[in-house]
Amino acid sequence: MEDAQPFFASGNYVPIATEHDVADLPIRGELPRGLRGTLFRNGPNPQFAPPDPARHHWFLGDGMVHGFTLGDGRAAWRNRWIRTDKFLAERAAGRALATGFSGGRELGIPDTGVANTSLAWHAGKLLALEEAHLPWALDPATLDTLGVEELGGQPRRFTAHPKADPATGELVFFGYSTAGPLSAEMAWGTLSPAGAVTRYERFPVPFCAMVHDFAVTEHHVLFPLMPLTGSLPRAMRGAPVFAWEPELGGHIGLLRRREGIASLRWFRAEACYAFHVLNAWEDAAGRVLADVMEFAAPPLFPRADGSPSPREATRAHLTRWVLDPAAGTDAFRRERLDDLPGEFPRMDDRRAGLPNRHGAYMGQSRGEGLDTLAWCDLATGGRRHFSVPAGDALSEAVFVPRHAAAAEGDGWLLTVAWRAAEGRSEVLVLDSRDIAAGPVATVALPGRVPHGFHGTWVPANA
């Protein structure tokens, strides 16, 4: 991609070469005594410069996981590359081998992905995830790579964003291109609380698209099939593998969890895109509501002719999609909820799939990097926020309840801050009751955490 090189070569996108083990980090302020566990974060960190920088994309770097363990007033940091098949083949060769989205298949490297996007804690396992391959299991204490989770040999692809059902303990997942690379087929399924595949169904879709996230409610599953298309013929002629084709329009698949794909139906809308879902639920009238970060056109990807989308179109806003299965129409309604552009929405996961009042996302108050933590009250439309100085940036904020019985949204928000002037990172702990007051505790790191994607909190007693 023409605009991908800066994500490899500039600022805090530059990879780091060190795996750290730091047992006792300096802390300003005081860590809350009830905050005991580990914040895990995942992101791309290539171990070698790509062989063809023009074809390198931020999404393709080797996965590196950072673990920040907090408790008893102390903080520690450990980070490790995930030892995927690609990582090990390139380490043995002493150089990068894979080019573009192929992952090195043409060189005989097993197609097991880079595990660089997010993390999930399920069935007592820490899983490193990305959207085109099965999960990789990690040792939560050491971050050692344990291997691919084969999941009984059924699923071929697994999402970076599975949804944990707080009522049943199930993990709901999906995958795209499940009939082969860049194929027009998707699948969805469930894992039991013990980690066994309890359902897996495949179904055709109107076209191959990058479907990064989806939505799950108590009774429904929603698949946003938007026209960020994948094309094998396009890839074979050296054009972008994934490109924006808005003329294809937007599609949202909706099925009932109990009935599965037999109940699948499609809603239509003008083309838009959402990498990430905050939450979804059903209201008293049976409508399905999903709060997403909606783009008019996706960033980081060109149109099919190679031209970029207008810059303003590639800024996301918190938007509510409303689908009414009983309305007798395939249209759905869209309503913008906030005017601050941003990305990476998170919530109190105890309300996943159920109506929620609070949600966070990382805002762009200056129009460029993610410099603001926005904490929204969806009942009143209010928003409180915390911002860092110009040039600094914040990672996705992970919510941790104050205690097991705390009210929804009562707790702490954890984010990693990039301090540009100092060339290092910090872990910030903010109290959800007073976000604007700034962090109650700041953990200073001796190095840098490159800009990444997603994280998860695992309590010490999990």
Side-chain angles (χ1 to χ4, degrees), residues 3 244 273 275 293-303 307-317 341-343 364 367-368 370:
D3 65 345
W244 182 237
Y273 195 78
F275 278 113
M293 299 303 296
E294 182 187 281
F295 298 87
L300 306 176
F301 292 92
R303 291 174 176 262
S307 65
S309 296
R311 189 167 185 80
E312 188 56 36
T314 61
R315 300 189 192 281
H317 293 86
E343 249 290 14
Q364 297 173 289
E368 295 300 329
L370 300 174

Side-chain angles (χ1 to χ4, degrees), residues 31-109:
L31 287 172
R33 289 292 161 176
L35 194 62
R36 300 185 69 253
T38 301
L39 171 68
F40 295 101
R41 281 198 53 79
N42 198 353
N45 191 82
Q47 65 170 325
F48 297 111
D52 183 356
R55 295 181 63 191
H56 180 73
H57 191 284
W58 188 30
F59 291 3
L60 301 177
D62 300 299
M64 175 176 274
V65 173
H66 299 258
F68 306 100
T69 299
L70 311 177
D72 302 321
R74 304 179 66 182
W77 175 31
R78 170 175 285 135
N79 67 305
R80 293 290 185 274
W81 269 295
I82 301 169
R83 268 59 176 179
T84 62
D85 290 293
K86 172 186 174 294
F87 178 93
L88 294 176
E90 293 184 333
R91 174 150 289 196
R95 61 184 178 89
L97 299 171
T99 299
F101 282 89
S102 73
R105 288 189 299 268
E106 71 282 4
L107 303 175
I109 300 174

Side-chain angles (χ1 to χ4, degrees), residues 341-431:
E343 249 290 14
F344 298 116
R346 291 297 297 257
M347 59 169 290
D348 184 337
D349 290 333
R350 296 174 300 169
R351 298 296 300 173
L354 304 170
N356 64 295
R357 177 167 183 168
H358 299 285
Y361 69 92
M362 314 316 294
Q364 297 173 289
S365 66
R366 300 180 183 92
E368 295 300 329
L370 300 174
D371 57 18
T372 297
L373 195 171
W375 182 241
C376 300
D377 185 326
L378 300 171
T380 66
R383 171 180 18 103
R384 291 172 287 158
H385 66 272
F386 164 77
S387 297
V388 291
D392 292 357
L394 296 170
S395 74
E396 172 195 70
V398 175
F399 177 82
V400 182
R402 198 173 303 273
H403 52 79
E408 184 218 333
D410 181 20
W412 300 286
L413 289 152
L414 278 56
T415 178
V416 178
W418 157 241
R419 301 302 190 183
E422 302 170 32
R424 64 178 181 86
S425 300
E426 298 176 333
V427 179
L428 309 183
V429 180
L430 296 100
D431 192 323

Side-chain angles (χ1 to χ4, degrees), residues 15-378:
I16 60 173
T18 304
E19 294 181 319
H20 294 271
D21 284 283
V22 186
D24 204 353
L25 296 162
I27 300 170
R28 299 194 304 274
E30 184 176 354
L31 287 172
R33 289 292 161 176
L35 194 62
R36 300 185 69 253
T38 301
L39 171 68
F40 295 101
R41 281 198 53 79
N42 198 353
N45 191 82
Q47 65 170 325
F48 297 111
D52 183 356
R55 295 181 63 191
H56 180 73
H57 191 284
W58 188 30
F59 291 3
L60 301 177
D62 300 299
M64 175 176 274
V65 173
H66 299 258
F68 306 100
T69 299
L70 311 177
D72 302 321
R74 304 179 66 182
W77 175 31
R78 170 175 285 135
N79 67 305
R80 293 290 185 274
W81 269 295
I82 301 169
R83 268 59 176 179
T84 62
D85 290 293
K86 172 186 174 294
F87 178 93
L88 294 176
E90 293 184 333
R91 174 150 289 196
R95 61 184 178 89
L97 299 171
T99 299
F101 282 89
S102 73
R105 288 189 299 268
E106 71 282 4
L107 303 175
I109 300 174
D111 185 20
T112 53
V114 288
N116 69 3
T117 307
S118 67
L119 298 140
W121 177 259
H122 187 69
K125 295 181 179 180
L126 181 64
L127 304 177
L129 306 169
E130 44 111 319
E131 65 195 53
H133 300 87
L134 294 175
W136 283 78
L138 309 178
D139 184 309
T142 65
L143 296 184
D144 290 345
T145 303
L146 302 179
V148 175
E149 286 291 296
E150 298 291 350
L151 301 178
Q154 292 184 67
R156 303 182 181 188
R157 303 289 184 104
F158 201 89
T159 176
H161 293 288
K163 308 298 183 187
D165 187 320
T168 67
E170 289 181 308
L171 196 69
V172 185
F173 66 92
F174 79 101
Y176 66 86
S177 294
T178 50
L182 305 179
S183 59
E185 183 186 89
M186 291 179 62
W188 82 289
T190 55
L191 301 183
S192 72
V197 177
T198 50
R199 184 166 202 158
Y200 186 66
E201 295 184 306
R202 296 162 57 182
F203 54 94
V205 294
F207 47 79
C208 172
M210 180 180 286
V211 186
H212 182 69
D213 199 355
F214 75 140
V216 176
T217 71
E218 183 178 4
H219 301 293
H220 290 87
V221 182
L222 183 155
F223 306 100
L225 187 84
M226 300 300 179
L228 177 52
T229 64
S231 168
L232 190 58
R234 197 164 57 215
M236 293 178 66
R237 65 176 184 266
V241 178
F242 288 98
W244 182 237
E245 296 189 86
E247 62 275 11
L248 296 178
H251 301 65
I252 293 185
L254 185 70
L255 61 76
R256 293 186 63 84
R257 287 172 60 174
R258 182 173 296 178
E259 287 85 356
I261 61 171
S263 64
L264 178 66
R265 57 176 294 190
W266 292 95
F267 290 77
R268 297 292 305 274
E270 293 180 7
C272 59
Y273 195 78
F275 278 113
H276 299 116
V277 175
L278 172 64
N279 192 30
W281 68 97
E282 291 110 4
D283 66 11
R287 300 179 305 170
V288 178
L289 295 81
D291 291 345
V292 307
M293 299 303 296
E294 182 187 281
F295 298 87
L300 306 176
F301 292 92
R303 291 174 176 262
D305 63 3
S307 65
S309 296
R311 189 167 185 80
E312 188 56 36
T314 61
R315 300 189 192 281
H317 293 86
L318 185 61
T319 302
R320 178 164 294 169
W321 293 347
V322 181
L323 291 73
D324 188 349
T329 175
D330 66 357
F332 68 95
R333 183 165 59 83
R334 294 148 61 186
E335 174 192 355
R336 182 176 290 189
L337 300 180
D338 204 305
D339 59 1
L340 177 68
E343 249 290 14
F344 298 116
R346 291 297 297 257
M347 59 169 290
D348 184 337
D349 290 333
R350 296 174 300 169
R351 298 296 300 173
L354 304 170
N356 64 295
R357 177 167 183 168
H358 299 285
Y361 69 92
M362 314 316 294
Q364 297 173 289
S365 66
R366 300 180 183 92
E368 295 300 329
L370 300 174
D371 57 18
T372 297
L373 195 171
W375 182 241
C376 300
D377 185 326
L378 300 171

